[in-house]
């Protein structure tokens, strides 16, 4: 730390991303990336765009928003493009929360929410999950704060139904409800159609998971046009060219090849079922996930010990040291080969 850092940031704990190791080739099941390549049209579009990199990108993301609007049946005015959904979340915390308006979110959820809250010195309520690790909608009724909920939640993979989300929206008409749908394409129910009815809903989606573009950094904020205009105000006050040319081209091409990604999601869901059954047969408790990962624990071994033993065998999964979930591992669903390798490694370790 330099002597120039401002005092409020002294004690701030930054977000810790999952490991991206360089020491050897791992079977990488720790950051919920897709095992599948981007679609052929994306590879072509990115290669073509390289020659234009001398020019700035379109700050309005016109063509990408137009294509997405057609696919989603909404207007381009309902779409904000972020440099990853992390940027959309960051801008939303910056735009809509402050001294007078804090945030509420589940105490076990995406680790970035408390980081953003601390960054903007917001008061926040971290609301405990129920004993079965589900979010209880009633805990969010009539709050005096904005709300952010990952649906499906991370790292549990458990999801709320659209009617449960509605109950939260109905009882918080003067609070913004941010629904982080990073993992919605793996069997969850999107609340995107609700943006027509609710002016207090911001749906956040990403291209990092189901659309195989984690490295491109692209996410959407989807809401009524006034909320999108506010997010644009923040963007044009920080980084107008927030999406680079190659990513704009990749995102648009990906939207045009939706059937490729739908087929990949189907494979991930099949591989998830296979892995859940295999782990249950080995004595694991596996939460019923609607995401591209499983959250599982075994009475036979602690979470950290199992994480280390798997790492030793070249398989990387995610372990969180918080005591409520320290027994669990979060295991990204990869290809069938990768999942078979994981199950065999677990079997050997537990022998
Ligand atoms: N929300 C949740 C719940 C996540 O797990 C992640 C990925 N770590 C993100 C948002 C951010 O994803 P990205 O910035 O890659 O779009």
């Amino acid at each position: 730390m330099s002597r120039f850092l401002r005092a409020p940031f002294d004690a701030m704990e930054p977000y810790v991303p999952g490991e991206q190791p360089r020491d050897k080739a791992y079977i990488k099941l720790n950051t919920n990336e897709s095992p599948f390549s981007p679609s052929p049209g994306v590879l072509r579009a990115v290669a073509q765009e390289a020659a234009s990199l001398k020019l700035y990108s379109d700050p309005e993301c016109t063509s990408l928003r137009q294509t997405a609007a057609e696919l989603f049946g909404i207007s381009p005015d309902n779409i904000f493009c972020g440099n990853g959904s992390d940027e959309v979340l960051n801008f939303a915390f910056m735009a809509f929360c402050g001294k007078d308006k804090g945030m509420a979110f589940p105490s076990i959820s995406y680790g970035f929410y408390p980081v953003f809250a601390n960054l903007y010195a917001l008061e926040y309520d971290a609301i405990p999950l129920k004993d079965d690790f589900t979010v209880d909608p009633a805990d969010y009724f009539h709050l005096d704060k904005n709300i952010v909920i990952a649906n499906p939640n991370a790292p549990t993979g458990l999801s709320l139904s659209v009617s449960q989300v509605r109950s939260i929206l109905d009882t918080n008409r003067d609070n913004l409800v941010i629904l982080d749908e990073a993992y919605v394409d793996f069997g969850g129910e999107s609340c995107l159609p609700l943006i027509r009815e609710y002016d207090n809903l911001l749906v956040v989606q990403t291209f990092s998971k189901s659309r195989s573009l984690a490295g491109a950094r692209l996410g959407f904020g989807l809401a009524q046009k006034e909320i999108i205009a506010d997010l644009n105000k923040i963007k044009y006050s920080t980084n107008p060219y927030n999406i680079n040319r190659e990513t704009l081209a990749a995102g648009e091409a990906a939207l045009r090849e939706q059937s490729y990604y739908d087929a990949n999601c189907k494979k991930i869901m099949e591989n998830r079922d296979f892995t859940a059954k295999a782990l249950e047969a080995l004595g694991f408790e596996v939460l019923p996930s609607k995401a591209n990962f499983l959250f599982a624990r075994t009475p036979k071994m602690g979470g950290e010990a199992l994480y280390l033993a798997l790492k030793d065998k070249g398989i990387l999964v995610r372990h969180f040291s918080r005591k409520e979930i320290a027994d669990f591992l979060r295991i990204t669903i990869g290809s069938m080969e990768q999942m078979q390798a994981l199950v065999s490694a677990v079997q050997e370790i537990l022998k």
Side-chain angles (χ1 to χ4, degrees), residues 15 31-32 83-87 89 110 113 150 152-154 180 182-183 205-209 214 217-219 330:
Y15 177 70
T31 46
N32 300 338
N83 191 304
S85 55
D86 280 340
E87 190 182 55
L89 292 167
Y110 185 31
Y113 305 150
N153 197 11
D180 179 349
Y183 300 105
Q205 295 189 350
T206 180
F207 283 64
S208 297
K209 316 296 176 186
R217 314 304 302 126
L218 184 61
R330 192 195 68 191

Side-chain angles (χ1 to χ4, degrees), residues 47 114 165 186 229-230 308:
V165 172
F186 304 99
D230 295 339
L308 288 171

Side-chain angles (χ1 to χ4, degrees), residues 104 125 127 138-147 171-172 175:
D125 286 343
I127 300 178
D139 289 339
Y140 296 80
F141 292 174
H142 304 292
L143 299 186
D144 58 355
K145 296 191 165 60
N146 293 328
I147 295 169
T171 52
N172 286 281
N175 299 318

Side-chain angles (χ1 to χ4, degrees), residues 286-299:
V286 183
L287 300 192
S289 170
K290 291 270 173 72
N292 66 339
F293 55 80
L294 289 174
F295 205 49
R297 65 179 162 188
T298 167

Side-chain angles (χ1 to χ4, degrees), residues 72-240:
F72 298 160
I74 55 180
S75 151
D77 293 345
N78 299 129
I79 304 176
F80 176 82
C81 301
N83 191 304
S85 55
D86 280 340
E87 190 182 55
V88 186
L89 292 167
N90 177 21
F91 286 179
F93 273 70
M94 207 191 302
F96 303 114
C97 306
K99 269 211 183 89
D100 50 330
K101 189 82 169 208
M103 259 289 175
F105 43 79
S107 66
I108 295 173
S109 191
Y110 185 31
F112 230 133
Y113 305 150
V115 173
F116 287 135
N118 288 329
L119 178 63
Y120 298 114
L122 307 176
E123 278 190 18
Y124 66 88
D125 286 343
I127 300 178
L129 298 179
K130 293 206 292 189
D131 288 345
D132 61 0
F133 298 99
T134 56
V135 168
D136 185 349
D139 289 339
Y140 296 80
F141 292 174
H142 304 292
L143 299 186
D144 58 355
K145 296 191 165 60
N146 293 328
I147 295 169
V148 57
I149 295 178
N151 193 39
N153 197 11
T156 61
L158 304 176
S159 68
L160 293 173
S161 66
V162 172
S163 62
Q164 286 175 313
V165 172
R166 252 182 205 286
S167 68
I168 295 172
L169 288 162
D170 283 329
T171 52
N172 286 281
R173 294 309 305 227
D174 293 325
N175 299 318
L176 182 69
V177 178
I178 303 172
L179 214 57
D180 179 349
E181 294 192 336
Y183 300 105
V184 79
D185 295 332
F186 304 99
E189 239 182 317
S190 177
C191 287
L192 176 57
L194 301 191
I195 66 168
R196 281 178 210 285
E197 266 173 82
Y198 292 94
D199 68 354
N200 59 330
L201 172 62
L202 170 62
V203 173
V204 179
Q205 295 189 350
T206 180
F207 283 64
S208 297
K209 316 296 176 186
S210 58
R211 292 198 171 92
S212 302
L213 283 175
R217 314 304 302 126
L218 184 61
F220 281 154
L222 305 154
Q224 291 193 6
K225 64 180 190 317
E226 293 77 8
I227 287 181
I228 300 303
D230 295 339
L231 291 172
N232 274 315
K233 198 171 200 178
I234 301 288
K235 157 176 152 151
Y236 282 95
S237 308
T238 49
N239 186 12

